[in-house]
Amino acid sequence: MKRKEFALILSAAMIGCGAAGARTLFVNGPIVPADAVALDSVAPGEWRSTVTLDRPVEGDYFSHSAWFTLAEGDSTTVLRRVPGTYRLADPRKELFTDNIRLNNGIYTITANLNDMTFAVSAPVDSARISVFGSSVANGEGAEGKHGYAWMLGEELKGRKGDRGNGKPFYTSGVSIGGNNTRALLNRYPDLLNDFGRFAVIGLSLGNEGIHEATDKEGVFCGFRDNMLALIDKIKADGMIPVVVNNYTRADYTELDYEYIKRINQLIHLWDVASVNVLGAIDDGHGRWAEGYISDPGHPDTRGHAEFARSFVPSMFAAIANGKPQPERTEADGRKLGGKAGRATYTPEGEMHSFTVTMRIKLPRKKTSLLSFASANGEGNGSIDLLPDGTVTYHSSKGYAQVVTAKIPADGSWHDITLTHHHAQGATRLFVDENCSEAVSEKLIPASFDFGGDKEVVANEITLWRAGMTPEEISAHHNGAMLKSSLELYVPMASGKNTPANLAQSLGELVTHD
């Protein structure tokens, strides 16, 4: 069909429903039942209908598409959108067009050929978590592309106590391989058209070109600024953003790794919930841990599972219930151990990688500070204090690792931190910022007990669902509020009240007086 003929058809269509030459507008595409659905004429040149687009589609989100035609099945009268907009593309003027991408659902679709615009509307689903990212977020590397987003959705569906609008939370994929921050900003309507309550941003500096760049600082700053712009847009549109932190790649250099750690340090501090997936399968040098890689850019199914375990399971429910971002609080401290009793925490769901910190004033006595039971039947691990101020980690496998620096009896607060990278197979003990050698092991903690047979005074107990870098542990020691994968943050104040968990989770520290 020539452009002149198309223009005549377009003009006839705009005359309206009662005109002799009027045509019906159709929605077409892989998600459309029977290939095409007619829209109702509501005004001259304007059509609107509520349609069910539930045709099963082979392939991932990119294949879930639709477009308009002026005549059913007539490919010469196709109207697509101008990429990243709600404008319809007039083929007489526009060189680049794009399909409208939608997941299956029920939508009210409007097309207005008077101003060449369209609109898609539906009720916001308060239980839907839209995952907006690139290939890893899309499940690349996992069997059947059932990656971390899909695994998270399955975990959330099984949590009986967590509900959004009376039903379990679930994930919805809006990710496309190869995307970076600029691509997500350009196709932002895809996220809006998923009508979820939460928006998980799943990107990394890798697709920004950090490895190949000569100006790595420029790439870093561009990613930071575009991420903040995305977060602001999501908040302005009434959704709740969640950021998946940067992760590893097989070809990263030590300099690339420094930039990954730097951006994650910033994300920890942003006013947004976030997830520390670097601490899930990092080998300690910014590359995938051995045995968790599908190809240089993607984890395998096991690697995706470690990513999924880094999400605090009740985070979405806690946020939906109005629990705010935690702020670092200086408490006066509370006695633990001995006659004061211990405190216990049971992780939500299966935990692999973790970091746990007690901020305490140490007595010059031999006592246990922390112990944990292993879910894999390998016994208990513990951190013990000796009278000379030496702190010792006893592995559940029977090893012991001693921190050489002794803690001075100076009456100051000191941080005792145990960080475990499950995929890496390494556990490290920190006293303040002093680190032990790694113990080789893979832990699955079932519960944590704080306090031993002698009293200590603790003013903070903190637990993250990820291993942490020395830089992160140093930042926490120096007062930063690191929130990525934070499951438990309890300032310990004197008194009889049960100390509150300020992290965005529903977990509770149980005290035994």
Side-chain angles (χ1 to χ4, degrees), residues 15-92:
I15 293 173
C17 185
R23 291 175 178 267
T24 301
L25 195 68
F26 293 86
V27 177
N28 306 255
I31 61 174
V32 181
D35 295 326
V37 172
L39 300 182
D40 297 329
S41 178
V42 294
E46 185 175 356
W47 289 263
R48 181 183 303 115
S49 289
T50 299
V51 296
T52 300
L53 305 180
D54 59 357
R55 186 178 178 184
V57 178
E58 293 294 329
D60 52 26
Y61 171 74
F62 187 79
S63 305
H64 292 222
S65 58
W67 54 86
F68 299 105
T69 58
L70 296 175
E72 183 175 3
D74 185 354
S75 62
T76 64
T77 64
V78 167
L79 294 174
R80 292 186 169 89
R81 68 175 175 178
V82 176
T85 74
Y86 288 97
R87 287 198 300 117
L88 290 171
D90 182 342
R92 297 167 297 173

Side-chain angles (χ1 to χ4, degrees), residues 328 354-360 370 383 414-419 430 432 448 450 458-464 468 472-473 476-477 488-490:
R328 199 76 182 265
F354 68 88
T355 302
V356 59
T357 296
M358 292 179 69
R359 176 164 287 190
I360 54 182
L370 161 70
I383 299 174
H414 293 280
D415 287 316
I416 311 299
T417 302
L418 192 70
T419 185
F430 284 76
D432 295 333
F448 294 89
F450 303 93
N459 82 337
E460 276 187 347
I461 293 176
T462 314
L463 175 69
W464 298 265
M468 298 184 84
E472 288 171 314
I473 290 169
H476 176 75
H477 174 65
L488 187 73
Y489 172 58
V490 180

Side-chain angles (χ1 to χ4, degrees), residues 83 105 121 165 168 171 186 282 300 302 310 325-326 355 359 408 411-412 425 436 448 481 491 498:
S121 63
N165 197 30
T171 55
N186 288 337
D282 178 21
D300 62 7
R302 293 177 66 207
S310 297
Q325 288 277 314
T355 302
R359 176 164 287 190
S412 300
S436 73
F448 294 89
M481 180 76 260
T498 301

Side-chain angles (χ1 to χ4, degrees), residues 208-357:
E208 304 288 314
I210 192 69
H211 176 66
E212 300 82 7
T214 54
D215 181 14
K216 294 182 188 293
E217 189 69 20
V219 171
F220 172 89
C221 293
F223 179 87
R224 176 201 63 203
D225 295 346
N226 287 343
M227 285 291 293
L228 290 171
L230 267 172
I231 290 167
D232 287 345
K233 286 172 72 71
I234 290 167
K235 288 181 176 180
D237 285 315
M239 292 175 286
I240 300 170
V242 175
V243 175
V244 176
N245 292 16
N246 273 242
Y247 44 85
T248 53
R249 214 168 75 172
D251 58 359
Y252 277 162
T253 64
E254 291 290 344
L255 181 57
D256 298 335
Y257 187 37
E258 291 303 313
Y259 279 101
I260 297 301
K261 291 187 288 185
R262 271 183 61 192
I263 195 64
N264 283 357
Q265 289 274 74
L266 285 179
I267 294 171
H268 270 295
L269 304 177
W270 289 349
D271 184 24
V272 63
S274 54
V275 185
N276 184 2
V277 294
L278 179 68
I281 49 177
D282 178 21
D283 73 345
H285 301 280
R287 297 184 287 272
W288 308 112
E290 186 177 352
Y292 293 81
I293 178 173
S294 174
D295 60 60
H298 305 96
D300 62 7
T301 301
R302 293 177 66 207
H304 276 279
E306 294 303 324
F307 271 37
R309 292 187 183 99
S310 297
F311 283 78
V312 176
S314 66
M315 174 181 66
F316 298 99
I319 296 172
N321 290 340
K323 198 168 188 181
Q325 288 277 314
E327 296 182 1
R328 199 76 182 265
T329 301
E330 280 292 331
D332 59 357
R334 180 180 182 133
K335 291 181 179 179
L336 280 178
K339 293 181 180 179
R342 303 183 183 188
T344 301
Y345 183 73
T346 301
E348 299 181 343
E350 185 174 71
M351 177 179 283
H352 281 189
S353 295
F354 68 88
T355 302
V356 59
T357 296

